[in-house]
Amino acid sequence: MNALEVSDLSFAYGAREALKPMSFSLPAGRFAALLGPNGAGKSTLIALLTRLYDLQRGDIRVGGHSLQSSPRPALRQLGVVFQQSTLDLDLSIEQNLRYHLALHGFSRRQGSARLDAELTRQHLTERRHERVRDLNGGHRRRVEIARALLHEPRLLLLDEPSVGLDPASRLALGLHIRQLCSEQGISVLWTTHLLDEVQPSDDLLIVHQGRLVASGQADAVSQEHGGTLGSAFTRLTASGVRP
Ligand code: ADP
Ligand code: MG
């Protein structure tokens, strides 16, 4: 079963069309990069996937559940890290996470087990009592990822997770997230405007001016549209081009 199915989805802010009708699916256990320049519509898509915005047209299914008609089971399968950090800087890692365990309805004991498992998975166990304010950007991102995975979703959405990170942290984060896919079967949708965050074996969706202009395995997309990912991206996102 696909982790995510998007069918004929479009969206407008008033008269401004932000997403033109698009359809795509993500198989389970895959890392998918959603690549597009600023303003392409990436965050709008994330807002629709997380039900921040009501659907205007089309359908979204998460793990087979329609976000419209079965929002609870659909959202239950979803973890999200938004573009802007929403951690409380003055609380420790553990305090930030405990609050969300309570929100998800875990008992103290169940919650402690989930907390320990997620801190281990994100390599944060030794830092659990540190204040978020004292962490570097890469570790802060990991806290957000731990938080997004507390309720064991099958699909993790990350909106430009590498913004503000130094190159080494960016690389480490990408490796870490791909490992979650390959070793634990989690599906990931990672948005970015940076070409070097896409690996040849990733699934790739390229959006430009609200339009899905290419999709498929990244190396196949590159070959089909220019040879390298750089030339394919330039060709597909040149203004005025309507493939
Ligand atoms: P991205 O995340 O790829 O940078 P966005 O989804 O944020 O793109 O934006 C897509 C388009 O929608 C842009 O043209 C942006 O200006 C517009 N847009 C985004 N949010 C709003 C909003 N709240 N009201 C009106 N237009 C918006
Ligand atoms: Mg954005």
Side-chain angles (χ1 to χ4, degrees), residues 60 63 69 71 82 84 139-140 153 203 205 209 235 241-243:
I60 296 171
S69 55
F82 289 107
Q84 302 294 335
H139 284 116
R140 289 185 192 186
D203 286 341
L205 303 159
Q209 296 177 346
R235 190 181 285 186
V241 169
R242 291 284 178 272

Side-chain angles (χ1 to χ4, degrees), residues 34 53 60 65 69 71 76 84 112 163 176 209 226 229 240:
L34 177 69
Y53 299 156
I60 296 171
H65 303 284
S69 55
R76 173 74 187 68
Q84 302 294 335
S112 292
V163 167
H176 178 64
Q209 296 177 346
L229 182 59

Side-chain angles (χ1 to χ4, degrees), residues 13 21 32 39 76 78 142 160-161 179 191 201 212 232-234 237:
Y13 294 99
R76 173 74 187 68
L78 212 63
R142 283 188 184 218
E160 305 234 22
Q179 231 168 22
T191 85
S201 61
L212 181 63
F233 185 71
T234 305
T237 60

Side-chain angles (χ1 to χ4, degrees), residues 4 26 32 34 46 49 155-158 187-191 205:
L4 176 67
L26 300 186
L34 177 69
I46 297 286
L49 294 176
L155 172 63
L156 177 63
L157 308 175
L158 299 154
S187 309
V188 167
L189 184 63
W190 165 298
T191 85
L205 303 159

Side-chain angles (χ1 to χ4, degrees), residues 31-49:
F31 180 99
L34 177 69
L35 176 68
N38 287 332
K42 303 182 296 296
S43 294
T44 302
L45 179 63
I46 297 286
L48 289 166
L49 294 176

Side-chain angles (χ1 to χ4, degrees), residues 162-182:
S162 65
V163 167
L165 299 187
D166 60 52
S169 306
R170 272 207 303 141
L171 196 65
L173 186 63
L175 285 171
H176 178 64
I177 295 292
R178 285 181 181 82
Q179 231 168 22
L180 289 179
C181 297
S182 61

Side-chain angles (χ1 to χ4, degrees), residues 76-96:
R76 173 74 187 68
Q77 309 235 2
L78 212 63
V80 61
V81 177
F82 289 107
Q83 193 163 349
Q84 302 294 335
S85 171
T86 54
L87 296 170
D88 189 318
L89 298 179
D90 291 322
L91 296 183
S92 68
I93 293 178
E94 179 165 336
Q95 287 168 329
N96 268 282

